[in-house]
Amino acid sequence: MLLLITGSKDGTSSLLISEIGNQNVFRFNYDLFKDYTLEFTPNYWKISNPTGHSIDSNSVTSCFWWKAFNFYLMDQEEFVVEEVKYIFRELYHWCRLRGITKGNPHDFHNHMGKMNILSIASKHFRTPRTLTSFGLGGVKSLGEMPIVAKSFTSGLTATNATLMTTAVIKESLHPDFPWFLQELLSSKADITIFVCGKSFFAYTRDRSQLKGLDWRAEQNFQDMATKEWFRFNLSTQLQKSVMEFCADLNVDWGRLDLMEVDGEMVFLEFNANGQWVFLDYSNVDGLVKTVCDFLMS
Amino acid sequence: MVGGQNYLPQFFKGRKMLIELITPLVLATSPMAIIVPETANYSHGTQMVAMNSAKDVLSITFNGTRTYDYRGQPNDSDND
């Protein structure tokens, strides 16, 4: 049985269960922790939901963490929140230590962030010139190259705003702030490659109609019948580069983001727990089934 | 033109002017809102949220990248 650690409102999790079958999955929702009965000792654990459906350390065959902490516990003391989070992490790592977790830990990027991933990627792909700076250190070395500012965390400001990829002028950057800068790339297409086990699903999105630089800021949530991402076949060389990159990073799950620049693929970033349903929400490419087979393998 | 954006540095080339310094906070913009339908009720029986289409899937879960603390403030995000 698959232990799916997630949040109750997550639609991707519901999609997975509809494909795998309710009886083959136990959904453990972080935001509904009070609904469950948990018995957890160092060598045994069992979780039951209100209907009596249960999973334990003997019946679990795989474990997948999906966006559990993207939801928050309402009306709880900070102490309770942190205790519950600790327990969810411990349960996940109990499975990880026994080699039955699928995908990547939710805190993967706390140990392998964008700069280090770019370093690894540079052995397999062309990568953009990138600089992280305090006190504008290293900014002069960028010369006259046009640059963009990006965010490491996609975190929110106090006014609930977020830094999307934005063109900036080096001379206007305030020295008292952290800057994540990258060369501005002129590209006709965004590329994303979803990695699921040994399967790679490559998609391209036209940039010619973008008003800004970041496709994430211009997604069409109102008309999802309009396809924005189109699947294409990876070249032999690109497939080899993706395979070797994943081997170096020791991953078999996640999403690589690239851009096509003058016919060449330029690596931008790897998302260890990136979304993927949006690539194939009509389910014509079989992403959901492939993911389910991967999770149950 | 890159994706509709003017190439700003050309405008400033050769011009001496007082440039107001910018910060990441000034550049930040409101992200696209993710609206969770009021009718999105979870069932322990089915272990699913009632959905009618993939649109519901994406409206609930798309691009959720940040983790949250007890105040609903973003914390230790896992990136998208």
Side-chain angles (χ1 to χ4, degrees):
Chain A
M1 188 182 293
L2 168 69
L3 173 63
L4 177 58
I5 301 177
T6 183
S8 66
K9 293 285 194 284
D10 191 272
T12 298
S13 294
S14 295
L15 208 57
L16 293 174
I17 291 172
S18 69
E19 177 74 23
I20 294 173
N22 189 29
Q23 69 282 6
N24 298 318
V25 183
F26 187 91
R27 181 169 180 166
F28 196 25
N29 296 299
Y30 160 73
D31 58 321
L32 298 182
F33 82 94
K34 290 188 292 184
D35 290 3
Y36 299 90
T37 302
L38 169 69
E39 175 188 352
F40 189 5
T41 73
N43 296 304
Y44 172 80
W45 54 265
K46 180 178 180 180
I47 318 168
S48 303
N49 75 14
T51 71
H53 185 43
S54 67
I55 188 172
D56 65 23
S57 48
N58 296 313
S59 60
V60 65
T61 52
S62 57
C63 176
F64 182 54
W65 184 291
W66 183 252
K67 308 291 186 186
F69 290 170
N70 281 58
F71 304 87
Y72 54 90
L73 303 186
M74 302 292 291
D75 303 321
Q76 291 286 354
E77 289 278 348
E78 182 177 4
F79 169 79
V80 173
V81 171
E82 294 308 312
E83 292 286 300
V84 172
K85 277 189 169 180
Y86 196 104
I87 293 166
F88 269 76
R89 286 194 296 262
E90 275 291 87
L91 196 56
Y92 174 82
H93 288 299
W94 186 100
C95 296
R96 182 185 60 79
L97 288 168
R98 286 154 181 82
I100 60 172
T101 50
K102 300 293 186 182
N104 299 310
H106 78 285
D107 63 347
F108 179 95
H109 289 298
N110 285 355
H111 310 286
M112 180 64 74
K114 294 182 193 290
M115 297 301 285
N116 286 303
I117 289 174
L118 277 166
S119 177
I120 293 171
S122 66
K123 294 187 291 183
H124 307 288
F125 307 94
R126 175 183 159 193
T127 52
R129 281 197 62 189
T130 305
L131 173 71
T132 298
S133 179
F134 286 169
L136 300 182
V139 169
K140 284 185 180 175
S141 69
L142 297 174
E144 297 300 315
M145 180 177 64
I147 57 172
V148 294
K150 304 175 84 168
S151 166
F152 279 117
T153 64
S154 299
L156 293 179
T157 68
T159 56
N160 288 330
T162 187
L163 175 58
M164 308 300 283
T165 303
T166 308
V168 293
I169 304 168
K170 290 181 285 297
E171 290 76 13
S172 67
L173 300 178
H174 199 300
D176 291 348
F177 289 81
W179 289 103
F180 174 34
L181 305 170
Q182 211 165 54
E183 70 173 288
L184 188 153
L185 299 173
S186 177
S187 170
K188 294 179 181 177
D190 284 295
I191 306 293
T192 196
I193 302 172
F194 172 54
V195 176
C196 178
K198 292 181 168 42
S199 300
F200 302 151
F201 294 85
Y203 290 85
T204 180
R205 188 187 196 279
D206 180 37
R207 291 180 61 84
S208 64
Q209 302 303 312
L210 280 182
K211 299 183 182 63
L213 296 174
D214 199 327
W215 64 266
R216 295 172 302 172
E218 300 180 35
Q219 297 162 90
N220 187 352
F221 288 142
Q222 301 307 315
D223 178 18
M224 292 180 180
T226 301
K227 201 165 170 55
E228 294 179 328
W229 293 89
F230 295 87
R231 194 168 178 199
F232 69 97
N233 292 325
L234 286 171
S235 66
T236 304
Q237 178 58 48
L238 186 53
Q239 187 162 357
K240 180 172 179 285
S241 296
V242 174
M243 284 175 58
E244 291 176 349
F245 167 78
C246 289
D248 271 359
L249 212 55
N250 195 26
V251 297
D252 63 358
W253 171 272
R255 223 185 67 230
L256 287 75
D257 287 344
L258 307 95
M259 288 175 99
E260 184 183 349
V261 179
D262 298 327
E264 185 179 13
M265 296 294 183
V266 180
F267 177 95
L268 296 179
E269 64 181 45
F270 169 75
N271 298 296
N273 291 294
Q275 298 283 359
W276 49 274
V277 170
F278 72 97
L279 297 171
D280 183 29
Y281 56 77
S282 300
N283 202 24
V284 297
D285 298 326
L287 255 64
V288 174
K289 184 176 188 314
T290 301
V291 170
C292 292
D293 289 345
F294 170 73
L295 295 179
M296 300 303 287
S297 64
Chain B
M1 300 284 283
V2 176
Q5 194 91 353
N6 287 324
Y7 181 37
L8 296 177
Q10 284 187 345
F11 175 78
F12 290 103
K13 188 175 179 181
R15 288 175 167 80
K16 290 184 181 178
M17 55 190 297
L18 190 63
I19 300 174
E20 185 174 341
L21 296 180
I22 59 172
T23 74
L25 304 178
V26 167
L27 296 176
T29 56
S30 296
M32 300 192 76
I34 300 171
I35 308 299
V36 178
E38 290 293 329
T39 54
N41 293 318
Y42 179 79
S43 162
H44 282 296
T46 61
Q47 300 190 101
M48 293 191 287
V49 173
M51 295 180 298
N52 294 317
S53 67
K55 180 180 176 181
D56 288 339
V57 171
L58 289 173
S59 66
I60 291 170
T61 191
F62 191 86
N63 241 17
T65 63
R66 289 169 293 281
T67 64
Y68 296 93
D69 64 14
Y70 76 109
R71 294 181 299 269
Q73 294 301 307
N75 188 30
D76 62 314
S77 68
D78 62 1
N79 297 303
D80 72 341

